């Protein structure tokens, strides 16, 4: 078995469901150290027992030049074992597909990064500048691993590639996301006297929820439009004859450039006022310790994009189109918080976040070859 595929298999075999990243981090650390590199472990403050490390290293050619960052996450979503045909932590090849948790998202990308670093650690004459590699925890949660590396000021790069699982296109832009907590007040009363007595906060909240999802959003020529999604409503009591006097609402808002948290809050309040709920509705950005991700897009003709497309074509024989993702990922952090031009491209598969997730071996081996060619081209000795 090719070395990159063995590393992919090794990583799939490690249960690194979000919250349990330590064993995968240790595997990555030992692999990088076997290349003769100094390896660092980073822990975010909420990880009080140091059980959820992120791993990073820098490979220095010894010659001046730019820094190229490869980044991936080592955590996965959880598993419902009863719904799997195979053991999710035992990579299983069936009809050309390898089944296992993380086989698609995104241990193939991690393996390709590891093997890229391994190759250039043994062939330093083939590049100038530096190659940085980060393997982060909590990407499937609040991206605390990447945000901690930002806080520690360890990521310094001129260009970046997020090795997430998208193989048939390269993402050059992502929308941003905010989450809002909305509280709607009513008036309590005995349920037998309703509606003459009391004001049902659930009914008011339902009307407001419908109005929120109908609110206008801005558009972007590539990222399309922003969207609203009322994800959760809670209020009242099934065990008491009381008219609900309060209802909590959780609202997700995906945004395009120009849409701010302040704008979204004002839109919700305008909708409340239009329904006659002025003074009965409060809205706030849901508190979180990590910043919210903002939208971004890099030019389609950026050297990073064009170089990746050229080498993808050389390796696979087909063109690699650009794409704009409606969600968010750690690429948003690199682009917005650090100002690093970033593309998102890596080996993919199927059933991401679902049962019987799988990856494709050829995509993993091709990704490694593309990463190597991309590195040689962007960090070409003498180019500076």
């Amino acid at each position: 078995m090719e070395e990159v595929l063995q590393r992919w298999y090794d990583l799939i075999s490690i249960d690194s469901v979000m919250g349990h990243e330590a064993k995968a981090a240790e595997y990555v650390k030992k692999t990088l150290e076997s290349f003769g590199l100094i390896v660092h472990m980073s822990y975010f403050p909420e990880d009080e027992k140091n059980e959820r490390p992120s791993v990073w290293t820098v490979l220095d050619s010894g010659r001046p030049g730019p820094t190229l960052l490869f980044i991936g996450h080592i955590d996965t979503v959880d598993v419902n074992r009863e719904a799997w045909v195979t053991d999710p932590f035992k990579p299983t090849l069936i009809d050309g597909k390898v089944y296992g948790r993380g086989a698609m998202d995104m241990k193939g990308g991690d393996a390709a990064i590891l093997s890229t670093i391994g190759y250039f650690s043994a062939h330093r004459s083939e590049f100038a500048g530096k190659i940085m590699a980060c393997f982060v925890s909590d990407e499937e949660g609040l991206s605390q691993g990447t945000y901690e590396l930002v806080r520690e000021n360890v990521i310094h790069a001129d260009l970046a590639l997020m090795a997430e699982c998208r193989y048939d296109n390269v993402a050059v832009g992502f929308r941003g996301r905010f989450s809002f907590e909305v509280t709607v007040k009513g008036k309590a009363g005995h349920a037998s006297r309703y509606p003459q007595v009391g004001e049902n906060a659930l009914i008011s909240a339902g009307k407001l929820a419908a109005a929120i999802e109908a609110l206008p959003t801005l558009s972007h020529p590539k990222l399309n439009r922003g969207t609203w999604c009322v994800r959760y409503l809670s209020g009242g009591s099934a065990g008491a004859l009381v008219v609900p006097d309060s209802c909590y609402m959780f609202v997700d808002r995906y945004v395009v450039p120009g849409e701010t948290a302040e704008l979204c809050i004002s839109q919700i309040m305008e909708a409340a006022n239009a329904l006659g709920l002025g003074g009965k509705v409060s809205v706030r950005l849901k508190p979180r310790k990590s910043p919210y991700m903002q939208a971004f897009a890099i030019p389609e003709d950026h050297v990073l994009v064009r170089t990746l497309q050229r080498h993808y074509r050389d390796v696979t024989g087909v063109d690699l189109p650009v794409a704009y993702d409606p969600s968010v990922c750690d690429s948003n952090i690199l682009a917005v918080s650090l100002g690093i031009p970033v593309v998102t491209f890596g080996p993919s598969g199927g059933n991401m976040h679902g049962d019987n997730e799988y990856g494709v071996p050829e995509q993993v081996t091709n990704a490694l070859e593309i990463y190597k060619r991309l590195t040689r081209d962007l960090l070409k000795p003498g180019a500076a």
Side-chain angles (χ1 to χ4, degrees):
M1 180 182 292
E2 293 185 47
E3 194 171 50
V4 65
L5 295 181
Q6 185 61 60
R7 288 174 178 142
W8 181 36
Y9 272 53
D10 290 346
L11 285 166
I12 296 170
S13 301
I14 300 171
D15 178 352
S16 60
V17 168
M18 187 178 65
H20 305 279
E21 295 95 332
K23 290 183 179 179
E26 186 62 27
Y27 175 88
V28 169
K29 178 176 182 290
K30 288 182 177 179
T31 303
L32 292 171
E33 287 177 338
S34 73
F35 304 149
L37 299 175
I38 297 174
V39 183
H40 308 269
M41 305 283 266
S42 173
Y43 302 88
F44 51 86
E46 288 73 18
D47 179 22
E48 296 178 354
K49 296 183 179 179
N50 286 357
E51 296 174 335
R52 308 186 62 191
S54 296
V55 187
W56 63 275
T57 191
V58 177
L59 173 60
D60 193 337
S61 69
R63 293 180 294 278
T67 298
L68 174 61
L69 166 67
F70 288 97
I71 184 169
H73 64 85
I74 54 176
D75 60 318
T76 72
V77 297
D78 208 346
V79 172
N80 175 14
R81 286 179 177 267
E82 295 181 356
W84 278 70
V85 175
T86 65
D87 182 339
F89 300 110
K90 182 180 179 181
T92 305
L93 179 64
I94 302 175
D95 296 331
K97 302 173 182 177
V98 174
Y99 289 83
R101 178 54 88 213
M104 176 182 180
D105 187 16
M106 57 159 291
K107 292 184 174 181
D110 292 331
I113 296 174
L114 281 174
S115 292
T116 299
I117 298 298
Y119 177 84
F120 285 105
S121 67
H123 299 84
R124 299 192 188 209
S125 64
E126 294 187 15
F127 77 102
K130 300 175 183 178
I131 307 170
M132 183 175 193
C134 298
F135 301 83
V136 299
S137 60
D138 195 54
E139 191 274 346
E140 301 291 4
L142 294 175
S143 294
Q144 294 180 96
T146 300
Y147 276 121
E148 179 60 21
L149 295 184
V150 172
R151 189 188 70 80
E152 294 176 8
N153 193 31
V154 300
I155 299 179
H156 300 278
D158 300 285
L159 302 164
L161 185 144
M162 166 61 72
E164 270 278 17
C165 44
R166 55 186 319 129
Y167 184 77
D168 297 325
N169 58 63
V170 51
V172 299
F174 285 76
R175 291 195 301 180
R177 175 178 173 264
F178 298 117
S179 294
F180 298 99
E181 294 183 314
V182 182
T183 302
V184 181
K185 294 295 185 180
K187 186 176 181 180
H190 196 287
S192 67
R193 307 284 180 87
Y194 180 77
Q196 287 77 23
V197 175
E199 183 178 349
N200 195 327
L202 298 183
I203 300 301
S204 298
K207 293 177 180 178
L208 180 58
I212 287 173
E213 292 209 349
L215 286 169
T217 59
L218 296 182
S219 63
H220 183 273
K222 299 295 185 178
L223 290 168
N224 204 353
R225 304 192 67 87
T227 54
W228 297 90
C229 180
V230 178
R231 280 179 42 196
Y232 181 78
L233 286 170
S234 176
S237 171
L241 295 171
V242 179
V243 178
D245 65 351
S246 180
C247 183
Y248 171 87
M249 184 188 312
F250 183 86
V251 181
D252 248 354
R253 179 71 157 90
Y254 283 91
V255 298
V256 298
E259 294 181 315
T260 63
E262 294 74 19
L263 172 64
C264 296
I265 291 173
S266 69
Q267 285 183 283
I268 295 174
M269 293 306 300
E270 288 173 8
N273 291 333
L275 291 170
L277 297 174
K280 300 176 182 178
V281 173
S282 61
V283 185
R284 70 170 183 171
L285 188 66
K286 181 177 174 59
R288 52 184 274 183
K289 293 185 178 180
S290 54
Y292 280 94
M293 294 182 181
Q294 300 178 47
F296 80 93
I298 69 170
E300 294 183 8
D301 61 352
H302 193 283
V303 62
L304 180 58
V305 180
R306 294 304 189 204
T307 305
L308 177 65
Q309 289 177 314
R310 183 170 67 255
H311 293 301
Y312 182 91
R313 172 79 184 184
D314 291 342
V315 172
T316 68
V318 298
D319 292 328
L320 182 68
V322 297
Y324 297 81
D325 200 285
S327 189
V328 296
C329 80
D330 284 8
S331 294
N332 295 70
I333 303 173
L334 301 177
V336 178
S337 298
L338 297 177
I340 302 172
V342 57
V343 293
T344 304
F345 166 81
S348 188
N351 298 335
M352 182 172 70
H353 287 197
D355 304 322
N356 304 304
E357 176 184 357
Y358 66 85
V360 181
E362 182 184 31
Q363 294 185 6
V364 177
T365 56
N366 282 352
L368 169 59
E369 182 60 29
I370 292 166
Y371 293 173
K372 287 160 59 178
R373 294 184 183 206
L374 179 78
T375 301
R376 289 192 197 99
D377 206 335
L378 293 175
L379 304 185
K380 189 179 303 181

